[in-house]
Amino acid sequence: MGFLSGKRALIVGVASKRSIAWGVAAAMHREGAELAFTYQNDKLKERVTGFASEVGSNIALPLDVSSDAELKAVFRDLETEWGEFDNIIHAVGYAPKECLAGTFVESVTREGFQIAHDISAYSFAAMAREALPMLRSGSALLTMSYLGAERSIPNYNVMGPAKASLEACVRFMAADLGPRNIRVNGVSAGPIKTLAASGVGNFRKLLAHAKAGTPLRRNVTIEDVGNVTAFLCSDLASAITGEIVHVDCGYSTVGMSFSVDEDEEVIAQR
Ligand code: 0WE
Protein backbone atom coordinates (compact mmCIF):
# COMPACT_ATOMS: atom_id res chain seq x y z
CA MET A 1 0.00 0.00 0.00
CA GLY A 2 1.42 3.36 -1.05
CA PHE A 3 1.90 6.26 1.35
CA LEU A 4 -0.82 8.28 -0.45
CA SER A 5 -3.55 5.66 -0.47
CA GLY A 6 -6.90 7.23 0.37
CA LYS A 7 -5.74 10.69 -0.78
CA ARG A 8 -7.38 12.60 -3.64
CA ALA A 9 -5.25 15.17 -5.47
CA LEU A 10 -5.93 17.84 -8.08
CA ILE A 11 -2.94 18.39 -10.37
CA VAL A 12 -2.70 21.76 -12.13
CA GLY A 13 0.02 22.38 -14.71
CA VAL A 14 0.36 19.33 -16.95
CA ALA A 15 1.19 20.42 -20.50
CA SER A 16 3.43 17.55 -21.60
CA LYS A 17 5.16 14.45 -20.24
CA ARG A 18 8.15 16.65 -19.41
CA SER A 19 6.04 18.90 -17.15
CA ILE A 20 6.96 18.92 -13.46
CA ALA A 21 3.25 18.34 -12.81
CA TRP A 22 3.48 15.06 -14.73
CA GLY A 23 6.44 13.92 -12.60
CA VAL A 24 4.31 14.66 -9.55
CA ALA A 25 1.30 12.82 -11.01
CA ALA A 26 3.39 9.71 -11.70
CA ALA A 27 4.85 9.65 -8.17
CA MET A 28 1.48 10.26 -6.52
CA HIS A 29 -0.20 7.59 -8.63
CA ARG A 30 2.54 5.12 -7.71
CA GLU A 31 1.88 5.86 -4.02
CA GLY A 32 -1.83 5.19 -4.37
CA ALA A 33 -3.42 8.65 -4.71
CA GLU A 34 -6.56 9.19 -6.77
CA LEU A 35 -5.93 12.01 -9.25
CA ALA A 36 -7.77 14.74 -11.15
CA PHE A 37 -6.22 17.04 -13.74
CA THR A 38 -6.83 20.41 -15.32
CA TYR A 39 -5.94 21.58 -18.81
CA GLN A 40 -5.22 25.19 -19.72
CA ASN A 41 -7.14 25.35 -23.02
CA ASP A 42 -8.95 23.32 -25.68
CA LYS A 43 -5.67 22.67 -27.47
CA LEU A 44 -4.46 20.68 -24.45
CA LYS A 45 -7.78 18.98 -23.59
CA GLU A 46 -7.27 15.72 -25.48
CA ARG A 47 -3.63 15.41 -24.47
CA VAL A 48 -4.29 15.90 -20.75
CA THR A 49 -7.35 13.62 -20.87
CA GLY A 50 -5.09 10.91 -22.34
CA PHE A 51 -2.41 11.44 -19.69
CA ALA A 52 -5.08 11.27 -16.97
CA SER A 53 -6.31 7.90 -18.20
CA GLU A 54 -2.73 6.55 -18.05
CA VAL A 55 -2.81 7.07 -14.28
CA GLY A 56 -6.34 5.74 -13.83
CA SER A 57 -8.08 9.13 -13.79
CA ASN A 58 -11.16 10.08 -15.77
CA ILE A 59 -11.27 13.63 -14.42
CA ALA A 60 -9.82 16.37 -16.65
CA LEU A 61 -11.33 19.83 -16.22
CA PRO A 62 -10.67 23.14 -17.99
CA LEU A 63 -8.74 25.72 -15.98
CA ASP A 64 -7.10 28.90 -17.19
CA VAL A 65 -5.97 30.36 -13.86
CA SER A 66 -6.34 33.92 -15.15
CA SER A 67 -10.13 33.41 -15.19
CA ASP A 68 -12.13 33.92 -11.97
CA ALA A 69 -15.05 32.05 -13.54
CA GLU A 70 -12.93 28.99 -14.39
CA LEU A 71 -11.33 29.01 -10.92
CA LYS A 72 -14.80 28.78 -9.42
CA ALA A 73 -16.11 26.26 -11.95
CA VAL A 74 -13.26 23.77 -11.52
CA PHE A 75 -13.97 23.34 -7.79
CA ARG A 76 -17.71 23.22 -8.36
CA ASP A 77 -17.13 20.37 -10.84
CA LEU A 78 -14.72 18.68 -8.46
CA GLU A 79 -17.32 18.90 -5.69
CA THR A 80 -19.70 16.93 -7.91
CA GLU A 81 -17.00 14.34 -8.68
CA TRP A 82 -15.43 13.99 -5.24
CA GLY A 83 -17.24 16.01 -2.57
CA GLU A 84 -14.04 16.26 -0.51
CA PHE A 85 -10.38 15.98 -1.38
CA ASP A 86 -6.86 16.34 0.05
CA ASN A 87 -4.24 17.87 -2.20
CA ILE A 88 -3.70 20.59 -4.78
CA ILE A 89 -0.50 20.57 -6.83
CA HIS A 90 0.02 24.04 -8.29
CA ALA A 91 2.71 23.82 -11.00
CA VAL A 92 1.92 26.96 -12.99
CA GLY A 93 4.08 29.96 -13.80
CA TYR A 94 4.13 32.50 -16.56
CA ALA A 95 5.57 35.86 -17.52
CA PRO A 96 5.36 37.40 -21.01
CA LYS A 97 8.31 36.25 -23.13
CA GLU A 98 9.66 39.83 -23.49
CA CYS A 99 10.08 39.99 -19.70
CA LEU A 100 12.45 36.97 -19.69
CA ALA A 101 14.99 38.56 -22.04
CA GLY A 102 17.62 41.17 -21.28
CA THR A 103 17.92 42.70 -17.84
CA PHE A 104 15.23 42.99 -15.17
CA VAL A 105 15.30 46.77 -15.10
CA GLU A 106 15.13 47.11 -18.89
CA SER A 107 12.42 44.49 -19.45
CA VAL A 108 10.03 45.15 -16.56
CA THR A 109 6.63 46.62 -17.48
CA ARG A 110 3.49 47.25 -15.45
CA GLU A 111 1.59 44.69 -17.51
CA GLY A 112 4.34 42.03 -17.43
CA PHE A 113 4.76 42.46 -13.68
CA GLN A 114 1.02 42.13 -13.14
CA ILE A 115 0.66 39.05 -15.37
CA ALA A 116 3.65 37.28 -13.78
CA HIS A 117 2.29 37.82 -10.27
CA ASP A 118 -1.30 37.01 -11.24
CA ILE A 119 -0.57 33.70 -12.97
CA SER A 120 2.40 32.56 -10.86
CA ALA A 121 1.43 33.63 -7.32
CA TYR A 122 -2.15 34.90 -6.95
CA SER A 123 -3.55 31.78 -8.62
CA PHE A 124 -2.21 29.58 -5.78
CA ALA A 125 -3.91 31.68 -3.10
CA ALA A 126 -7.11 31.83 -5.16
CA MET A 127 -7.19 28.04 -5.50
CA ALA A 128 -6.88 27.67 -1.72
CA ARG A 129 -9.78 30.08 -1.24
CA GLU A 130 -12.05 28.28 -3.69
CA ALA A 131 -11.10 24.76 -2.52
CA LEU A 132 -11.24 25.40 1.22
CA PRO A 133 -14.80 24.13 1.86
CA MET A 134 -13.85 20.78 0.26
CA LEU A 135 -10.46 20.25 1.91
CA ARG A 136 -10.35 17.55 4.59
CA SER A 137 -8.30 17.66 7.79
CA GLY A 138 -4.84 16.37 6.86
CA SER A 139 -4.88 18.06 3.46
CA ALA A 140 -1.74 19.56 1.92
CA LEU A 141 -1.30 22.21 -0.78
CA LEU A 142 1.92 22.25 -2.81
CA THR A 143 3.42 24.75 -5.23
CA MET A 144 6.60 24.93 -7.32
CA SER A 145 9.17 27.69 -6.86
CA TYR A 146 12.67 28.47 -8.05
CA LEU A 147 15.89 29.97 -6.65
CA GLY A 148 15.07 33.20 -8.50
CA ALA A 149 12.74 33.93 -5.56
CA GLU A 150 15.81 34.32 -3.32
CA ARG A 151 18.70 35.31 -5.61
CA SER A 152 19.03 37.21 -8.86
CA ILE A 153 19.33 34.91 -11.87
CA PRO A 154 20.15 36.36 -15.33
CA ASN A 155 17.01 36.72 -17.51
CA TYR A 156 14.66 35.21 -14.90
CA ASN A 157 13.77 38.85 -14.26
CA VAL A 158 10.18 39.52 -13.15
CA MET A 159 9.61 35.82 -12.42
CA GLY A 160 11.96 36.33 -9.44
CA PRO A 161 9.66 38.77 -7.62
CA ALA A 162 6.67 36.62 -8.67
CA LYS A 163 8.24 33.50 -7.08
CA ALA A 164 9.18 35.56 -3.98
CA SER A 165 5.51 36.51 -3.73
CA LEU A 166 4.50 32.87 -4.21
CA GLU A 167 6.81 31.78 -1.38
CA ALA A 168 5.34 34.48 0.89
CA CYS A 169 1.86 33.21 -0.05
CA VAL A 170 2.96 29.73 1.14
CA ARG A 171 3.80 31.13 4.59
CA PHE A 172 0.62 33.19 4.96
CA MET A 173 -1.58 30.34 3.69
CA ALA A 174 0.15 27.93 6.08
CA ALA A 175 -0.62 30.27 9.00
CA ASP A 176 -4.27 30.59 7.96
CA LEU A 177 -4.98 26.94 7.21
CA GLY A 178 -2.86 25.33 9.92
CA PRO A 179 -5.63 25.46 12.55
CA ARG A 180 -7.75 23.29 10.21
CA ASN A 181 -4.84 20.84 9.90
CA ILE A 182 -4.20 21.84 6.30
CA ARG A 183 -0.52 22.22 5.39
CA VAL A 184 0.96 24.46 2.68
CA ASN A 185 4.46 24.01 1.28
CA GLY A 186 6.60 24.78 -1.75
CA VAL A 187 9.26 22.86 -3.62
CA SER A 188 12.09 24.97 -5.02
CA ALA A 189 13.29 22.87 -7.93
CA GLY A 190 16.58 23.13 -9.79
CA PRO A 191 16.30 23.90 -13.52
CA ILE A 192 14.62 21.21 -15.62
CA LYS A 193 14.25 21.14 -19.40
CA THR A 194 10.45 21.26 -19.64
CA LEU A 195 8.39 22.51 -22.60
CA ALA A 196 8.11 25.96 -20.95
CA ALA A 197 11.87 26.08 -20.36
CA SER A 198 12.68 25.13 -23.96
CA GLY A 199 11.40 28.57 -25.00
CA VAL A 200 14.02 30.20 -22.78
CA GLY A 201 17.23 31.43 -24.41
CA ASN A 202 20.49 30.20 -22.82
CA PHE A 203 18.68 27.40 -20.99
CA ARG A 204 21.29 24.85 -22.10
CA LYS A 205 24.03 27.05 -20.65
CA LEU A 206 22.06 27.37 -17.43
CA LEU A 207 21.66 23.57 -17.14
CA ALA A 208 25.39 23.02 -17.77
CA HIS A 209 26.27 25.65 -15.14
CA ALA A 210 23.89 24.13 -12.59
CA LYS A 211 25.20 20.62 -13.23
CA ALA A 212 28.83 21.66 -12.71
CA GLY A 213 28.11 23.75 -9.61
CA THR A 214 25.94 21.25 -7.80
CA PRO A 215 27.32 18.91 -5.07
CA LEU A 216 25.66 15.92 -6.74
CA ARG A 217 27.09 16.93 -10.17
CA ARG A 218 23.81 16.35 -11.96
CA ASN A 219 20.61 18.17 -12.82
CA VAL A 220 17.23 17.59 -11.20
CA THR A 221 14.61 15.37 -12.86
CA ILE A 222 10.82 15.55 -12.70
CA GLU A 223 11.02 12.20 -10.86
CA ASP A 224 13.15 13.85 -8.12
CA VAL A 225 10.59 16.65 -7.76
CA GLY A 226 7.65 14.23 -7.97
CA ASN A 227 8.94 12.09 -5.12
CA VAL A 228 9.51 14.99 -2.71
CA THR A 229 6.16 16.54 -3.62
CA ALA A 230 4.41 13.21 -3.02
CA PHE A 231 6.11 12.97 0.39
CA LEU A 232 5.03 16.53 1.32
CA CYS A 233 1.44 15.68 0.33
CA SER A 234 1.48 12.61 2.55
CA ASP A 235 0.93 12.15 6.29
CA LEU A 236 4.67 11.35 6.52
CA ALA A 237 5.14 15.15 6.36
CA SER A 238 2.42 15.89 8.95
CA ALA A 239 4.57 18.43 10.85
CA ILE A 240 5.96 20.29 7.81
CA THR A 241 4.11 23.46 6.80
CA GLY A 242 5.00 26.94 5.56
CA GLU A 243 8.24 25.45 4.26
CA ILE A 244 10.11 25.75 0.96
CA VAL A 245 12.08 22.56 0.30
CA HIS A 246 14.97 22.83 -2.16
CA VAL A 247 15.09 19.93 -4.60
CA ASP A 248 18.15 21.15 -6.45
CA CYS A 249 20.94 18.57 -5.95
CA GLY A 250 22.38 20.97 -3.35
CA TYR A 251 23.00 23.89 -5.73
CA SER A 252 21.62 26.54 -3.35
CA THR A 253 23.80 25.33 -0.44
CA VAL A 254 27.12 25.99 -2.13
CA GLY A 255 29.00 29.29 -1.83
CA MET A 256 31.65 28.33 -4.35
CA SER A 257 32.45 25.23 -6.32
CA PHE A 258 35.53 24.26 -8.35
CA SER A 259 34.40 21.65 -10.77
CA VAL A 260 37.43 20.36 -12.67
CA ASP A 261 36.87 17.23 -14.71
CA GLU A 262 40.41 15.87 -14.09
CA ASP A 263 40.04 16.29 -10.32
CA GLU A 264 36.80 14.38 -10.38
CA GLU A 265 38.38 11.55 -12.37
CA VAL A 266 41.09 11.34 -9.69
CA ILE A 267 38.43 11.28 -6.96
CA ALA A 268 36.44 8.66 -8.84
CA GLN A 269 39.54 6.42 -9.02
CA ARG A 270 40.26 6.63 -5.28
O1 0WE B 1 9.87 29.27 -13.60
C1 0WE B 1 10.49 28.92 -14.58
C2 0WE B 1 10.01 29.25 -15.99
C3 0WE B 1 8.66 29.83 -16.03
C4 0WE B 1 8.31 30.53 -17.32
C5 0WE B 1 8.70 30.11 -18.59
C6 0WE B 1 8.26 30.80 -19.70
C7 0WE B 1 8.70 30.44 -21.10
C8 0WE B 1 7.72 30.91 -22.14
C9 0WE B 1 7.51 31.64 -17.21
N1 0WE B 1 7.09 32.33 -18.28
C10 0WE B 1 7.44 31.92 -19.50
N2 0WE B 1 6.96 32.65 -20.56
C11 0WE B 1 7.11 32.25 -21.86
O2 0WE B 1 6.70 32.96 -22.78
N3 0WE B 1 11.68 28.26 -14.42
C12 0WE B 1 12.18 28.00 -13.10
C13 0WE B 1 12.50 27.81 -15.56
C14 0WE B 1 13.39 28.93 -15.95
O3 0WE B 1 12.99 29.90 -16.78
C15 0WE B 1 14.03 30.79 -16.91
C16 0WE B 1 15.12 30.37 -16.15
C17 0WE B 1 14.71 29.16 -15.53
C18 0WE B 1 15.52 28.33 -14.61
C19 0WE B 1 14.10 31.98 -17.63
C20 0WE B 1 15.28 32.71 -17.61
C21 0WE B 1 16.35 32.28 -16.86
C22 0WE B 1 16.29 31.11 -16.13
Side-chain angles (χ1 to χ4, degrees), residues 4-10 28 32-36 81-88 135-136 139-140:
L4 289 173
S5 68
K7 299 283 192 191
R8 291 184 182 135
L10 176 67
M28 293 190 73
E34 202 182 323
L35 304 178
E81 295 279 353
W82 278 349
E84 295 180 308
F85 72 111
D86 306 280
N87 303 112
I88 300 175
L135 292 174
R136 295 193 272 227
S139 287

Side-chain angles (χ1 to χ4, degrees), residues 93-95 97 100 146 154-156 159 163 191 196 200 203 206:
Y94 178 79
K97 202 176 172 59
L100 299 176
Y146 178 58
N155 308 134
Y156 198 61
M159 280 302 295
K163 290 297 194 188
V200 172
F203 203 81
L206 190 132

Side-chain angles (χ1 to χ4, degrees), residues 86-146:
D86 306 280
N87 303 112
I88 300 175
I89 311 306
H90 173 271
V92 179
Y94 178 79
K97 202 176 172 59
E98 317 83 72
C99 294
L100 299 176
T103 70
F104 172 69
V105 171
E106 284 165 2
S107 69
V108 71
T109 62
R110 188 185 300 277
E111 194 192 7
F113 191 97
Q114 178 254 306
I115 291 171
H117 285 71
D118 183 32
I119 304 298
S120 313
Y122 170 74
S123 65
F124 186 47
M127 278 181 207
R129 186 191 64 227
E130 297 301 328
L132 193 53
M134 302 168 62
L135 292 174
R136 295 193 272 227
S137 172
S139 287
L141 312 185
L142 258 294
T143 189
M144 297 299 144
S145 193
Y146 178 58

Side-chain angles (χ1 to χ4, degrees), residues 35-191:
L35 304 178
F37 293 83
T38 68
Y39 54 88
Q40 193 197 341
N41 51 45
D42 280 346
K43 216 182 77 190
L44 287 168
K45 178 176 182 173
E46 259 186 65
R47 204 193 302 179
V48 172
T49 304
F51 293 166
S53 71
E54 285 186 39
V55 288
S57 167
N58 60 4
I59 310 177
L61 304 167
L63 178 59
D64 176 337
V65 299
S66 69
S67 158
D68 290 334
E70 289 188 24
L71 270 168
K72 283 210 184 307
V74 75
F75 292 105
R76 199 182 52 222
D77 293 351
L78 211 55
E79 169 131 55
T80 313
E81 295 279 353
W82 278 349
E84 295 180 308
F85 72 111
D86 306 280
N87 303 112
I88 300 175
I89 311 306
H90 173 271
V92 179
Y94 178 79
K97 202 176 172 59
E98 317 83 72
C99 294
L100 299 176
T103 70
F104 172 69
V105 171
E106 284 165 2
S107 69
V108 71
T109 62
R110 188 185 300 277
E111 194 192 7
F113 191 97
Q114 178 254 306
I115 291 171
H117 285 71
D118 183 32
I119 304 298
S120 313
Y122 170 74
S123 65
F124 186 47
M127 278 181 207
R129 186 191 64 227
E130 297 301 328
L132 193 53
M134 302 168 62
L135 292 174
R136 295 193 272 227
S137 172
S139 287
L141 312 185
L142 258 294
T143 189
M144 297 299 144
S145 193
Y146 178 58
L147 190 62
E150 309 165 65
R151 320 257 182 91
S152 67
I153 310 270
N155 308 134
Y156 198 61
N157 297 352
V158 77
M159 280 302 295
K163 290 297 194 188
S165 169
L166 178 66
E167 293 188 3
C169 288
V170 166
R171 293 183 284 271
F172 276 76
M173 289 160 66
D176 289 347
L177 305 186
R180 305 172 67 134
N181 193 28
I182 299 169
R183 298 178 296 103
V184 186
N185 292 293
V187 164
S188 184

